[in-house]
Amino acid sequence: MTVNPDNLVLLFTTTCGASGELLGSDEKETVQLVWQVLNLITKKPGPVNEVLVKPEGGCMSEECVEVTGISAEALISAAPLDEALSQFNERLCSEINTSAGNSFCLCTDGQLHLRQVLHPEASSKNVLLPECFFSFFDLRKEFNKCYPPEADRKDLDLQSMADYLNLSVDSSDHAFTALKVLQMSSIAQALISEPVCHTFSCPEKVNEKFETGTCSKMERIDDNTVIRARGLPWQSSDQDVARFFRGLNIAKGGAALCLNAQGRRNGEALVRFENEEHRDLALQRHKHHMGSRYIEVYKATGEDFLKIAGGTSNEVANFLSRENQVIVRMRGLPFTATAEQVLQFFSPSCPVTDGSEGILFVRFPDGRPTGDAFVLFSCEEHAENALKKHKEILGKRYIELFRSTAAEVQQVLNKYSSAPLIAVAPAPILPVVPQPTFVPSTIAAVVGTRDCLRLRGLPYDASVQDILLFLGEYTADIRPHGVHMVLNQQGRPSGDAFIQMRSAERAYLAAHRCHKRSMKERYVEVFPCSAQEMNIVLMGGSLSRSGLSPPPCKLRRLSPASYTFPPGGSVLPAGAVLPTGAVLPVDTAALYPSQFLLNPRPLAPAAFYPANSQMYMNYAAYYPSPPGSPPNMGYYHTSHTPSAGSVLSHPPTAMIRMQSHTSAHAYASGVKEILSMVQGYQPSNSDALVTLPSLLSAKQPIGDQSLGGGAYLDLQLL
């Protein structure tokens, strides 16, 4: 960067769109470059020069044609932008004679000509700008250095500065753009002449490359320097964001891509600029295009930026302390993967920076791997070779590779390092989730008591007996009917189970002792949880590190299982006269189900279900398997053992009726076929199955079909 140049090149650009303070805000292409060289030593200006630029698409606006006087026919023979810039550079160097050691620096009327016009357009067309376009003087700022501004600098223009200095230029012999350049030249001459004798030094710099870096959560960031960009392509990187804002100086590490709850990019980014002026220029690029997508640009705060890009981990800070490195994210790693395996995966075409020190594995707070890792590469070539290994195999898994950023590293590490093993349910969800019938109300009423266990990673063929053997000595602490196997949407084992324990202390000890024990060559994770968390999962919700989710209410077949039936009389009371003339005995009448069971009342939907949606019961989709209890346990505490001969002295039983429209079911189906229909429930004894014709043989002929075919089965509750 030239500090004290010998020559000042006064440059003015014109686009085929808006002009003045809106120059460059409409993404229109450059059509004209006009300049004049002012020798700062002799204080003599040179001739006015012009180069026309042929736009690639679109025509000139009426405003542009009226102001500049350039016709569409004149642009047909003009050169495209890259050739026009080459002509500009050659003619300028020839006029100044840079080969003799003469130096020069550009000077423009404000920031727009370079930052909002030439740099963005050259970036979108992949045109390499000459080095002279990366430093320049802002004539308005130089004027303010010499004269205290009577108004805000943003209100300054060439005419107001010329009027303040009592300068006039004959506009009759010059076109619009040439007149602007002559006004700039006369103002610059007045500044360098007596009595001002201003020296043009310390020009502004346009960053050529975005610099990555880290940001601490303790850092204070000005709210007036941050914007939020929305609508980015999901595969865009921080370099792509910096390219979109080319011409504006982004702070070191100031481009942070946002991630969603699943750790994937959501199309948003927070960008921090060096000062408020560049932030305001960035807001003028609202709905400018990145490829075929337009990008929305809004104001944001420093707090928003710190939430995304700020970090406190020393491990991450050390990992990102290596500057000018390309970061690649690995996803889907085997949980047993080591740094040596990752190095072998990338070698030899793409060596990792500093070997194993250039690999950062992402882990949960308890040290378990998440399957993600970040890898550093020293150059773009090595990173491109690494990305070519996308979906190649490491161990027995294919690995996904993505270009990443320092802010993404911070977000992913912050997310997993602060994630609880089992999240607490949000307050609005718990009151509206109905209580399943199989969970005792005394347990569900204890809010926040972690007296249950969650088993994760069970073999799919694991049974209740396998779980009891797995828990060992803690089997005696399981409540009656306290083993719940969780099924998936297809009614198959999901690998999860919930255990209801007698106390939170025993649940904690069981989780501590049994965590990561092996069951059939698989290690099983054991966590304490509350009855509310168990209820939500067994009702079809999800329980993960990102929090609790209610049941999938959008599926019409799902509804809460919370039927409660009031006691009712028999359909046929004792002593009723049958169509055959027989009188129904008392014992027979007791076998018939209540009218409430035959016609259950409709279930009122919970708050999170649409009021007008029809509910369907389908327990197999989300309901747990029949709860089991340890076979070596009594059903009641020893202090409450029922007396002999009482109703409770025998295990509780329940009777069900199996009814068909004809008697074919009762006669054609054997005991084995009927028992297979209630597999998982234990009949009370070998005589539990009673067919209806045999029951009524004394009172009704077998051939009579007035009562229909059916069977009764006495089941023992487990």
Side-chain angles (χ1 to χ4, degrees), residues 576-591:
V577 180
L578 300 176
T580 60
V583 179
L584 190 65
V586 177
D587 294 339
T588 305
L591 293 175

Side-chain angles (χ1 to χ4, degrees), residues 86-108:
S86 298
Q87 295 178 18
F88 168 81
N89 195 44
E90 291 175 1
R91 292 172 60 177
L92 185 60
C93 293
S94 176
E95 180 180 357
I96 296 178
N97 193 13
T98 55
S99 59
N102 297 325
S103 60
F104 68 93
C105 187
L106 300 180
C107 181
T108 60

Side-chain angles (χ1 to χ4, degrees), residues 565-577:
F565 306 118
S570 303
V571 177
L572 297 179
V577 180

Side-chain angles (χ1 to χ4, degrees), residues 397-412:
R397 298 176 62 93
Y398 72 87
I399 309 302
E400 296 178 293
L401 300 175
F402 307 95
R403 187 182 294 269
S404 185
T405 66
E408 183 174 351
V409 176
Q410 296 279 21
Q411 288 181 79
V412 173

Side-chain angles (χ1 to χ4, degrees), residues 209-221:
K209 184 179 179 181
F210 169 68
E211 297 184 18
T212 61
T214 59
C215 179
S216 172
K217 283 187 176 293
M218 306 304 296
E219 187 174 348
R220 301 186 64 178
I221 297 179

Side-chain angles (χ1 to χ4, degrees), residues 290-425:
M290 178 185 292
S292 59
R293 299 175 63 94
Y294 72 84
I295 309 301
E296 301 174 358
V297 183
Y298 305 98
K299 292 181 179 181
T301 64
E303 183 180 358
D304 295 336
F305 185 82
L306 288 178
K307 288 180 180 178
I308 300 299
T312 57
S313 172
N314 292 330
E315 182 183 12
V316 178
N318 294 333
F319 177 77
L320 298 176
S321 61
R322 306 170 182 84
E323 297 182 358
N324 301 323
Q325 300 290 318
V326 183
I327 306 175
V328 172
R329 180 180 181 181
M330 304 180 70
R331 193 166 61 197
L333 286 169
F335 293 150
T336 58
T338 63
E340 290 72 18
Q341 291 176 320
V342 174
L343 293 175
Q344 293 177 4
F345 178 79
F346 287 113
S347 63
S349 59
C350 36
V352 178
T353 301
D354 296 338
S356 60
E357 296 295 327
I359 304 173
L360 178 63
F361 289 98
V362 183
R363 301 182 183 277
F364 289 114
D366 59 357
R368 291 181 296 112
T370 64
D372 283 24
F374 294 94
V375 185
L376 295 177
F377 295 96
S378 58
C379 61
E380 288 287 343
E381 181 182 359
H382 291 169
E384 291 296 333
N385 292 335
L387 293 173
K388 293 178 181 178
K389 295 180 176 291
H390 180 60
K391 290 196 174 182
E392 289 192 6
I393 302 298
L394 175 59
K396 296 183 179 180
R397 298 176 62 93
Y398 72 87
I399 309 302
E400 296 178 293
L401 300 175
F402 307 95
R403 187 182 294 269
S404 185
T405 66
E408 183 174 351
V409 176
Q410 296 279 21
Q411 288 181 79
V412 173
L413 268 294
N414 291 342
K415 172 188 174 183
Y416 285 111
S417 62
S418 60
L421 295 179
I422 296 182
V424 179

